[in-house]
Amino acid sequence: MFYPLVFEPRFKERVWGGRRLETLYGKRLLSGRPVGESWEITDRPEDVSVIANGSWAGRDLRWLMEAHREALLGNLAPAAGDRFPWLVKILDARELLSVQVHPPAEVARRLGGEPKTELWYITEAERGAEIYTGLRRGVTREEFERRLREGTVADCIHRFAVRAGDAVFLPSGRIHALGAGLVLFEIQQNSDTTYRVYDWGRRGLDGRPRPLHVPEALASVDFQDFEPGPLPERWEARDGGRRRPLVEHELFCVEVWRWNRSTQLEWGGGGCRVLGCVAGRLVLEGGNEAVDLRPGRFCLLPAALESVRLAVDSAAEVLVVLPGVPGKGA
């Protein structure tokens, strides 16, 4: 009954977005509009992914969670509201994003929002592209608030250059801003709560300044979080290729796989997993269904799928999301 699932992407118009999801990944974007986000797997109240392949094509992830939650998730705990626990996106930042923060769980409960921890994996980076994340060492809350009033708060944020293949972890409470000229895969907790603290004087798609959430942001920022950088790059030989673990957290684990030659292998059941193709091409077969994964395409493997055959054409790079480790990184 269960097989590798592919979903229809949900495109989000953003003032800072571009058109590279079309040119890089063949996405059929909204005509002539700046698209900043493609929600690849989502089970939000306002936006639910529709299955695009196999016998369940046309049904959605909400139905799957209601009818087959245990078979889909295995031991993976659902998000609040009995929803799928992860939100998977591709972002195209043609322009700099706002300086923002996502609330930790206890703050989110107090403010009526949702906690949000996420990981960015950079797939394309223009020369000189940067990420803002965490505070510069020594910055205090008092200095941050003063700089905010003066319009120079960006000088409080630690920033560094990034390139394709870099990964950045953003636990809730970490102040951040995505720089211009970047495309990335985003793996996050199922949440859509963002508190915007500074927006560079920009106007939104309606021509008006976008709303800020300064009190909420100040309540959420971790003012002891100084100068985090990209995640370390450690590779190990595995299954005819190389594996790079990125993060182990109670919400999710993420790793990258690379193969540089034609490879065929079988993966046993490992719980609910999501695969996203970064480069190259691979074919997944399981439950009498085959999925052709090309760059920018994602696939959900239900926990009840006992095994999946994976065939790499000549070379491929794949991002893999797995269930988290209880108590890790909490």
Side-chain angles (χ1 to χ4, degrees), residues 104-124:
E106 59 185 42
V107 178
R109 282 192 294 269
R110 189 168 72 247
L111 298 178
E114 299 170 304
K116 181 176 174 182
T117 287
E118 60 191 11
L119 176 128
W120 290 342
Y121 187 72
I122 310 298
T123 61
E124 299 282 337

PDB file of all heavy atoms in Angstrom, residues 104-124:
ATOM      1  N   PRO A 104      11.428  30.511  21.044  1.00  0.00           N
ATOM      2  CA  PRO A 104      11.551  29.235  21.753  1.00  0.00           C
ATOM      3  C   PRO A 104      10.181  28.799  22.267  1.00  0.00           C
ATOM      4  O   PRO A 104       9.248  29.599  22.366  1.00  0.00           O
ATOM      5  CB  PRO A 104      12.512  29.558  22.897  1.00  0.00           C
ATOM      6  CG  PRO A 104      13.211  30.810  22.486  1.00  0.00           C
ATOM      7  CD  PRO A 104      12.230  31.571  21.664  1.00  0.00           C
ATOM      8  N   ALA A 105      10.074  27.537  22.635  1.00  0.00           N
ATOM      9  CA  ALA A 105       8.774  26.955  22.991  1.00  0.00           C
ATOM     10  C   ALA A 105       8.091  27.720  24.116  1.00  0.00           C
ATOM     11  O   ALA A 105       6.899  28.034  24.031  1.00  0.00           O
ATOM     12  CB  ALA A 105       8.964  25.487  23.364  1.00  0.00           C
ATOM     13  N   GLU A 106       8.815  28.035  25.188  1.00  0.00           N
ATOM     14  CA  GLU A 106       8.165  28.684  26.328  1.00  0.00           C
ATOM     15  C   GLU A 106       7.702  30.095  25.977  1.00  0.00           C
ATOM     16  O   GLU A 106       6.641  30.546  26.441  1.00  0.00           O
ATOM     17  CB  GLU A 106       9.102  28.711  27.534  1.00  0.00           C
ATOM     18  CG  GLU A 106      10.413  29.447  27.305  1.00  0.00           C
ATOM     19  CD  GLU A 106      11.331  29.330  28.500  1.00  0.00           C
ATOM     20  OE1 GLU A 106      11.430  28.241  29.078  1.00  0.00           O
ATOM     21  OE2 GLU A 106      11.954  30.348  28.858  1.00  0.00           O
ATOM     22  N   VAL A 107       8.474  30.796  25.146  1.00  0.00           N
ATOM     23  CA  VAL A 107       8.070  32.134  24.712  1.00  0.00           C
ATOM     24  C   VAL A 107       6.883  32.044  23.759  1.00  0.00           C
ATOM     25  O   VAL A 107       5.938  32.842  23.833  1.00  0.00           O
ATOM     26  CB  VAL A 107       9.248  32.871  24.047  1.00  0.00           C
ATOM     27  CG1 VAL A 107       8.814  34.249  23.545  1.00  0.00           C
ATOM     28  CG2 VAL A 107      10.410  33.008  25.025  1.00  0.00           C
ATOM     29  N   ALA A 108       6.927  31.075  22.861  1.00  0.00           N
ATOM     30  CA  ALA A 108       5.827  30.888  21.917  1.00  0.00           C
ATOM     31  C   ALA A 108       4.519  30.638  22.645  1.00  0.00           C
ATOM     32  O   ALA A 108       3.468  31.185  22.270  1.00  0.00           O
ATOM     33  CB  ALA A 108       6.146  29.741  20.965  1.00  0.00           C
ATOM     34  N   ARG A 109       4.553  29.829  23.672  1.00  0.00           N
ATOM     35  CA  ARG A 109       3.329  29.561  24.443  1.00  0.00           C
ATOM     36  C   ARG A 109       2.796  30.842  25.059  1.00  0.00           C
ATOM     37  O   ARG A 109       1.586  31.101  25.052  1.00  0.00           O
ATOM     38  CB  ARG A 109       3.616  28.529  25.534  1.00  0.00           C
ATOM     39  CG  ARG A 109       3.678  27.090  25.036  1.00  0.00           C
ATOM     40  CD  ARG A 109       3.664  26.113  26.192  1.00  0.00           C
ATOM     41  NE  ARG A 109       4.873  26.212  27.000  1.00  0.00           N
ATOM     42  CZ  ARG A 109       5.975  25.494  26.786  1.00  0.00           C
ATOM     43  NH1 ARG A 109       6.020  24.645  25.783  1.00  0.00           N
ATOM     44  NH2 ARG A 109       7.021  25.632  27.575  1.00  0.00           N
ATOM     45  N   ARG A 110       3.679  31.663  25.575  1.00  0.00           N
ATOM     46  CA  ARG A 110       3.254  32.903  26.223  1.00  0.00           C
ATOM     47  C   ARG A 110       2.696  33.912  25.220  1.00  0.00           C
ATOM     48  O   ARG A 110       1.748  34.650  25.532  1.00  0.00           O
ATOM     49  CB  ARG A 110       4.449  33.502  26.974  1.00  0.00           C
ATOM     50  CG  ARG A 110       4.091  34.673  27.860  1.00  0.00           C
ATOM     51  CD  ARG A 110       5.224  35.044  28.780  1.00  0.00           C
ATOM     52  NE  ARG A 110       6.342  35.679  28.109  1.00  0.00           N
ATOM     53  CZ  ARG A 110       7.545  35.150  27.981  1.00  0.00           C
ATOM     54  NH1 ARG A 110       7.798  33.947  28.466  1.00  0.00           N
ATOM     55  NH2 ARG A 110       8.513  35.805  27.365  1.00  0.00           N
ATOM     56  N   LEU A 111       3.257  33.925  24.008  1.00  0.00           N
ATOM     57  CA  LEU A 111       2.858  34.916  23.011  1.00  0.00           C
ATOM     58  C   LEU A 111       1.802  34.407  22.037  1.00  0.00           C
ATOM     59  O   LEU A 111       1.354  35.151  21.162  1.00  0.00           O
ATOM     60  CB  LEU A 111       4.101  35.368  22.219  1.00  0.00           C
ATOM     61  CG  LEU A 111       5.198  36.058  23.030  1.00  0.00           C
ATOM     62  CD1 LEU A 111       6.382  36.407  22.134  1.00  0.00           C
ATOM     63  CD2 LEU A 111       4.658  37.318  23.710  1.00  0.00           C
ATOM     64  N   GLY A 112       1.426  33.141  22.178  1.00  0.00           N
ATOM     65  CA  GLY A 112       0.415  32.596  21.279  1.00  0.00           C
ATOM     66  C   GLY A 112       0.952  32.225  19.910  1.00  0.00           C
ATOM     67  O   GLY A 112       0.190  32.117  18.946  1.00  0.00           O
ATOM     68  N   GLY A 113       2.262  32.010  19.794  1.00  0.00           N
ATOM     69  CA  GLY A 113       2.865  31.591  18.531  1.00  0.00           C
ATOM     70  C   GLY A 113       3.280  30.139  18.571  1.00  0.00           C
ATOM     71  O   GLY A 113       2.824  29.356  19.422  1.00  0.00           O
ATOM     72  N   GLU A 114       4.168  29.756  17.658  1.00  0.00           N
ATOM     73  CA  GLU A 114       4.680  28.385  17.584  1.00  0.00           C
ATOM     74  C   GLU A 114       6.203  28.427  17.589  1.00  0.00           C
ATOM     75  O   GLU A 114       6.807  29.267  16.916  1.00  0.00           O
ATOM     76  CB  GLU A 114       4.217  27.708  16.293  1.00  0.00           C
ATOM     77  CG  GLU A 114       2.714  27.588  16.149  1.00  0.00           C
ATOM     78  CD  GLU A 114       2.328  27.141  14.747  1.00  0.00           C
ATOM     79  OE1 GLU A 114       2.724  27.822  13.776  1.00  0.00           O
ATOM     80  OE2 GLU A 114       1.640  26.112  14.628  1.00  0.00           O
ATOM     81  N   PRO A 115       6.857  27.526  18.320  1.00  0.00           N
ATOM     82  CA  PRO A 115       8.324  27.475  18.269  1.00  0.00           C
ATOM     83  C   PRO A 115       8.782  27.016  16.890  1.00  0.00           C
ATOM     84  O   PRO A 115       8.057  26.331  16.179  1.00  0.00           O
ATOM     85  CB  PRO A 115       8.673  26.454  19.347  1.00  0.00           C
ATOM     86  CG  PRO A 115       7.465  25.576  19.431  1.00  0.00           C
ATOM     87  CD  PRO A 115       6.292  26.464  19.152  1.00  0.00           C
ATOM     88  N   LYS A 116       9.990  27.422  16.536  1.00  0.00           N
ATOM     89  CA  LYS A 116      10.482  27.060  15.199  1.00  0.00           C
ATOM     90  C   LYS A 116      12.000  26.957  15.211  1.00  0.00           C
ATOM     91  O   LYS A 116      12.707  27.931  15.471  1.00  0.00           O
ATOM     92  CB  LYS A 116      10.039  28.106  14.170  1.00  0.00           C
ATOM     93  CG  LYS A 116      10.460  27.822  12.736  1.00  0.00           C
ATOM     94  CD  LYS A 116       9.873  28.896  11.827  1.00  0.00           C
ATOM     95  CE  LYS A 116      10.365  28.777  10.402  1.00  0.00           C
ATOM     96  NZ  LYS A 116       9.838  29.850   9.547  1.00  0.00           N
ATOM     97  N   THR A 117      12.478  25.756  14.947  1.00  0.00           N
ATOM     98  CA  THR A 117      13.899  25.486  14.746  1.00  0.00           C
ATOM     99  C   THR A 117      14.071  24.998  13.322  1.00  0.00           C
ATOM    100  O   THR A 117      13.236  24.244  12.820  1.00  0.00           O
ATOM    101  CB  THR A 117      14.387  24.438  15.760  1.00  0.00           C
ATOM    102  OG1 THR A 117      14.469  25.034  17.065  1.00  0.00           O
ATOM    103  CG2 THR A 117      15.745  23.872  15.385  1.00  0.00           C
ATOM    104  N   GLU A 118      15.149  25.415  12.655  1.00  0.00           N
ATOM    105  CA  GLU A 118      15.300  25.079  11.237  1.00  0.00           C
ATOM    106  C   GLU A 118      16.758  24.889  10.853  1.00  0.00           C
ATOM    107  O   GLU A 118      17.675  25.269  11.586  1.00  0.00           O
ATOM    108  CB  GLU A 118      14.661  26.171  10.370  1.00  0.00           C
ATOM    109  CG  GLU A 118      15.262  27.544  10.557  1.00  0.00           C
ATOM    110  CD  GLU A 118      14.441  28.649   9.899  1.00  0.00           C
ATOM    111  OE1 GLU A 118      13.303  28.384   9.475  1.00  0.00           O
ATOM    112  OE2 GLU A 118      14.933  29.783   9.834  1.00  0.00           O
ATOM    113  N   LEU A 119      16.948  24.308   9.691  1.00  0.00           N
ATOM    114  CA  LEU A 119      18.276  24.120   9.117  1.00  0.00           C
ATOM    115  C   LEU A 119      18.263  24.609   7.682  1.00  0.00           C
ATOM    116  O   LEU A 119      17.312  24.348   6.930  1.00  0.00           O
ATOM    117  CB  LEU A 119      18.690  22.649   9.155  1.00  0.00           C
ATOM    118  CG  LEU A 119      20.039  22.368   8.479  1.00  0.00           C
ATOM    119  CD1 LEU A 119      20.960  21.592   9.408  1.00  0.00           C
ATOM    120  CD2 LEU A 119      19.843  21.583   7.185  1.00  0.00           C
ATOM    121  N   TRP A 120      19.316  25.336   7.282  1.00  0.00           N
ATOM    122  CA  TRP A 120      19.484  25.781   5.893  1.00  0.00           C
ATOM    123  C   TRP A 120      20.621  24.989   5.254  1.00  0.00           C
ATOM    124  O   TRP A 120      21.707  24.868   5.832  1.00  0.00           O
ATOM    125  CB  TRP A 120      19.858  27.260   5.844  1.00  0.00           C
ATOM    126  CG  TRP A 120      18.770  28.214   6.229  1.00  0.00           C
ATOM    127  CD1 TRP A 120      17.435  27.970   6.278  1.00  0.00           C
ATOM    128  CD2 TRP A 120      18.944  29.580   6.610  1.00  0.00           C
ATOM    129  NE1 TRP A 120      16.757  29.096   6.661  1.00  0.00           N
ATOM    130  CE2 TRP A 120      17.651  30.100   6.867  1.00  0.00           C
ATOM    131  CE3 TRP A 120      20.046  30.413   6.751  1.00  0.00           C
ATOM    132  CZ2 TRP A 120      17.450  31.422   7.266  1.00  0.00           C
ATOM    133  CZ3 TRP A 120      19.847  31.728   7.151  1.00  0.00           C
ATOM    134  CH2 TRP A 120      18.565  32.227   7.395  1.00  0.00           C
ATOM    135  N   TYR A 121      20.372  24.491   4.054  1.00  0.00           N
ATOM    136  CA  TYR A 121      21.439  23.876   3.263  1.00  0.00           C
ATOM    137  C   TYR A 121      21.547  24.654   1.956  1.00  0.00           C
ATOM    138  O   TYR A 121      20.621  24.666   1.148  1.00  0.00           O
ATOM    139  CB  TYR A 121      21.148  22.399   2.983  1.00  0.00           C
ATOM    140  CG  TYR A 121      22.312  21.706   2.308  1.00  0.00           C
ATOM    141  CD1 TYR A 121      23.476  21.416   3.022  1.00  0.00           C
ATOM    142  CD2 TYR A 121      22.269  21.361   0.960  1.00  0.00           C
ATOM    143  CE1 TYR A 121      24.557  20.806   2.413  1.00  0.00           C
ATOM    144  CE2 TYR A 121      23.347  20.735   0.348  1.00  0.00           C
ATOM    145  CZ  TYR A 121      24.482  20.464   1.080  1.00  0.00           C
ATOM    146  OH  TYR A 121      25.563  19.852   0.466  1.00  0.00           O
ATOM    147  N   ILE A 122      22.680  25.326   1.766  1.00  0.00           N
ATOM    148  CA  ILE A 122      22.861  26.213   0.622  1.00  0.00           C
ATOM    149  C   ILE A 122      23.098  25.397  -0.644  1.00  0.00           C
ATOM    150  O   ILE A 122      24.020  24.566  -0.693  1.00  0.00           O
ATOM    151  CB  ILE A 122      24.058  27.172   0.844  1.00  0.00           C
ATOM    152  CG1 ILE A 122      23.963  27.869   2.206  1.00  0.00           C
ATOM    153  CG2 ILE A 122      24.128  28.180  -0.293  1.00  0.00           C
ATOM    154  CD1 ILE A 122      22.780  28.732   2.409  1.00  0.00           C
ATOM    155  N   THR A 123      22.292  25.626  -1.674  1.00  0.00           N
ATOM    156  CA  THR A 123      22.466  24.914  -2.938  1.00  0.00           C
ATOM    157  C   THR A 123      23.044  25.804  -4.040  1.00  0.00           C
ATOM    158  O   THR A 123      23.670  25.298  -4.965  1.00  0.00           O
ATOM    159  CB  THR A 123      21.130  24.324  -3.416  1.00  0.00           C
ATOM    160  OG1 THR A 123      20.181  25.378  -3.637  1.00  0.00           O
ATOM    161  CG2 THR A 123      20.575  23.349  -2.399  1.00  0.00           C
ATOM    162  N   GLU A 124      22.842  27.116  -3.945  1.00  0.00           N
ATOM    163  CA  GLU A 124      23.404  28.071  -4.904  1.00  0.00           C
ATOM    164  C   GLU A 124      23.770  29.334  -4.146  1.00  0.00           C
ATOM    165  O   GLU A 124      22.996  29.809  -3.307  1.00  0.00           O
ATOM    166  CB  GLU A 124      22.394  28.426  -6.009  1.00  0.00           C
ATOM    167  CG  GLU A 124      21.944  27.257  -6.858  1.00  0.00           C
ATOM    168  CD  GLU A 124      22.976  26.863  -7.915  1.00  0.00           C
ATOM    169  OE1 GLU A 124      23.803  27.722  -8.289  1.00  0.00           O
ATOM    170  OE2 GLU A 124      22.951  25.701  -8.349  1.00  0.00           O
TER     171      GLU A 124
END
